[in-house]
């Protein structure tokens, strides 16, 4: 089909207009700064559908100056618990910043008061990591009680010479009392998983009764009454100003010498010096830690020299499925906030 000159001119004008619109649309897309290059693709791909995504490309968390530089003018921030999001970050971002979404259930790294003051929404990722953390809690409890790390080292140090009746023995879970401090989603799921091991009694401590406790068969007691009865104590507390160093020397001294302590919540809820003292002096039998202070922990730290302490590098939510779900939820938190719609998981500031 041959177009007349007037029609051709109009057609070219339309094409130029469409091209201009596409360029303008691209320029005006909301911008998101992502503090990790290895965020699961499901989250990044979702953001790229509607946003201009700027990824920090380093192998570790962005240094402070890079974070402050990268956030300038952005509309959204995709971060995690290793990123300190405070007044300086908000100042650097400027008034364009509408939402901070953290790929974590914890949010103590974000200055919530400052976010509230500026009208910035904050999203997080509860629920989707519950099973993964509970599963790992059971794993580290077993690794500590059955001395798996100790036994593994003996293969390389010459300690494994022959089978011996009492060598590398540790307590079983069956027939024991398990106490859980922090009986929320993760604490409850951990109890459900442990039921299959033949636990004699579940106890929990907290400010209120949980209706789910009756289904699990868990009894609430004051912490001072609970701890002396427990063979295993699991910490599933959120870190708040009230729970910082909740587990201190006084509480460790209430435990039995045979108690194994497990923490997969936050390092800050434990007075680490008090824990080390309890482990070194036999106040408790052992500890399994997925979290500690600081993180990463120095390779020469005293905790790492204790044979009765299992330490792993904060991998509680590191199930493939869980991390994919966390990345997707973080992205959806950002997209809905930018569209002024209710966020799937918003912190009420």
């Amino acid at each position: 089909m041959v177009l007349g000159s007037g029609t051709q001119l109009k057609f070219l004008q339309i094409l130029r207009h469409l091209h201009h619109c596409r360029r303008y649309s691209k320029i005006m897309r909301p911008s998101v700064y992502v503090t990790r290059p290895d965020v699961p693709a499901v989250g990044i791909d979702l953001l790229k559908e509607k946003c201009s995504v700027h990824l920090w490309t380093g192998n570790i968390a962005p240094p402070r100056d890079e974070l402050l530089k990268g956030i300038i003018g952005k509309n959204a921030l995709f971060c995690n618990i290793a990123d300190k999001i405070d007044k300086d970050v908000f100042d650097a971002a400027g008034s364009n910043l509408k939402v901070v979404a953290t790929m974590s259930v914890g949010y103590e790294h974000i200055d919530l008061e400052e976010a509230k003051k500026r009208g910035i929404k904050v999203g997080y990722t509860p629920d989707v990591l519950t099973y993964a953390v509970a599963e790992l809690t059971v794993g580290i409890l077993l690794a500590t009680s059955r001395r798996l790390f100790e036994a593994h080292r003996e293969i390389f140090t010459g300690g494994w010479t022959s089978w011996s009746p009492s060598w590398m023995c540790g307590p079983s879970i069956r027939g024991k009392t398990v106490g859980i401090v922090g009986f929320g989603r993760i604490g409850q799921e951990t109890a459900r998983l442990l039921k299959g091991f033949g636990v004699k009694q579940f106890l929990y401590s907290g400010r209120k009764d949980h209706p789910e406790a009756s289904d699990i068969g868990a009894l609430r007691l004051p912490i001072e009454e609970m701890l002396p009865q427990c063979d295993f104590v699991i910490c599933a507390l959120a870190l708040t100003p009230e729970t910082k160093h909740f587990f201190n020397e006084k509480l460790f001294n209430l435990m039995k010498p045979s108690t194994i302590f497990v923490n997969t919540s936050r390092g800050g809820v434990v007075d680490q010096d008090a824990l080390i003292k309890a482990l070194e002096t036999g106040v408790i039998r052992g500890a399994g830690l997925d979290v500690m202070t600081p993180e990463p922990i120095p390779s020469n730290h005293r905790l790492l020299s204790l044979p009765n302490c299992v330490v792993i590098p904060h991998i509680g939510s590191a199930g493939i499925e869980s991390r994919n779900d966390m990345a997707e939820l973080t992205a959806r938190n950002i997209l809905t906030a930018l569209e002024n719609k209710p966020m799937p998981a918003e912190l009420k500031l």
Side-chain angles (χ1 to χ4, degrees):
M1 180 176 66
V2 178
L3 300 174
S5 59
T7 306
Q8 279 184 325
L9 179 61
K10 189 170 184 178
F11 183 67
L12 289 173
Q13 287 174 337
I14 291 171
L15 285 179
R16 281 197 294 268
H17 176 70
L18 290 173
H19 179 67
H20 173 75
C21 286
R22 282 196 295 269
R23 288 183 61 196
Y24 183 76
S25 174
K26 188 173 182 181
I27 293 171
M28 296 305 292
R29 285 157 65 91
S31 58
V32 182
Y33 185 67
V34 183
T35 63
R36 291 296 185 284
D38 58 342
V39 170
V42 61
I44 299 301
D45 291 345
L46 261 178
L47 290 174
K48 285 182 175 179
E49 290 177 10
K50 297 184 178 181
C51 301
S52 176
V53 177
H54 304 264
L55 282 169
W56 162 248
T57 57
N59 293 324
I60 59 174
R64 188 68 174 171
D65 59 336
E66 290 292 341
L67 175 59
L68 295 177
K69 183 168 63 176
I71 193 62
I72 293 173
K74 301 300 186 295
N75 302 113
L77 173 63
F78 186 125
C79 64
N80 63 61
I81 57 171
D83 304 310
K84 184 180 180 182
I85 312 303
D86 58 9
K87 182 179 184 298
D88 291 343
V89 174
F90 292 130
D91 284 343
S95 60
N96 286 336
L97 188 66
K98 305 302 180 188
V99 57
V100 172
T102 181
M103 189 174 150
S104 63
V105 68
Y107 45 83
E108 64 272 9
H109 55 295
I110 302 171
D111 187 333
L112 300 181
E113 287 299 319
E114 197 66 33
K116 180 179 181 180
K117 187 190 307 181
R118 298 167 187 251
I120 296 170
K121 294 184 176 182
V122 178
Y124 68 136
T125 59
D127 299 324
V128 294
L129 49 67
T130 297
Y131 184 84
V133 177
E135 185 179 60
L136 182 123
T137 302
V138 174
I140 198 170
L141 187 154
L142 285 167
T144 309
S145 65
R146 295 300 302 273
R147 305 171 67 182
L148 301 189
F149 282 38
E150 284 183 81
H152 180 71
R153 284 193 294 268
E154 293 297 292
I155 297 173
F156 303 98
T157 60
W160 185 21
T161 56
S162 66
W163 186 90
S164 177
S166 59
W167 187 62
M168 284 294 147
C169 287
S172 295
I173 303 172
R174 186 180 63 176
K176 301 299 194 303
T177 296
V178 175
I180 301 176
V181 183
F183 204 61
R185 292 180 293 265
I186 292 172
Q188 291 169 26
E189 188 63 28
T190 301
R192 292 188 187 99
L193 292 178
L194 284 171
K195 285 190 75 171
F197 288 86
V199 171
K200 180 180 74 174
Q201 175 70 69
F202 286 107
L203 304 175
Y204 73 97
S205 176
R207 289 176 293 184
K208 63 179 182 179
D209 287 320
H210 289 270
E212 302 84 354
S214 59
D215 296 332
I216 297 169
L219 174 67
R220 184 165 77 99
L221 289 177
I223 190 78
E224 293 83 4
E225 293 181 30
M226 186 191 86
L227 292 179
Q229 301 183 44
C230 295
D231 301 291
F232 297 92
V233 175
I234 297 171
C235 175
L237 284 171
L239 178 58
T240 67
E242 293 74 28
T243 62
K244 184 177 181 181
H245 289 182
F246 180 87
F247 280 96
N248 53 26
E249 185 172 4
K250 175 186 175 182
L251 292 191
F252 286 123
N253 285 333
L254 290 175
M255 299 179 192
K256 298 190 288 189
S258 57
T259 296
I260 287 174
F261 174 75
V262 173
N263 184 16
T264 54
S265 58
R266 288 290 181 269
V269 301
V270 175
D271 180 339
Q272 205 157 262
D273 289 336
L275 174 60
I276 291 171
K277 181 180 178 181
L279 291 168
E280 289 180 334
T281 59
V283 168
I284 61 173
R285 182 186 187 107
L289 309 174
D290 183 45
V291 290
M292 65 288 312
T293 306
E295 294 181 6
I297 194 169
S299 59
N300 62 349
H301 196 280
R302 284 170 66 194
L303 273 177
L304 302 180
S305 67
L306 300 175
N308 56 344
C309 187
V310 170
V311 178
I312 55 177
H314 203 153
I315 57 171
S317 64
I320 294 170
E321 299 83 359
S322 177
R323 289 286 170 87
N324 284 337
D325 290 343
M326 292 168 70
E328 180 178 352
L329 180 53
T330 305
R332 293 195 183 282
N333 278 335
I334 287 172
L335 292 173
T336 52
L338 291 175
E339 294 172 355
N340 290 317
K341 295 178 180 178
M343 298 165 67
E346 181 179 356
L347 280 168
K348 302 304 179 185
L349 306 181

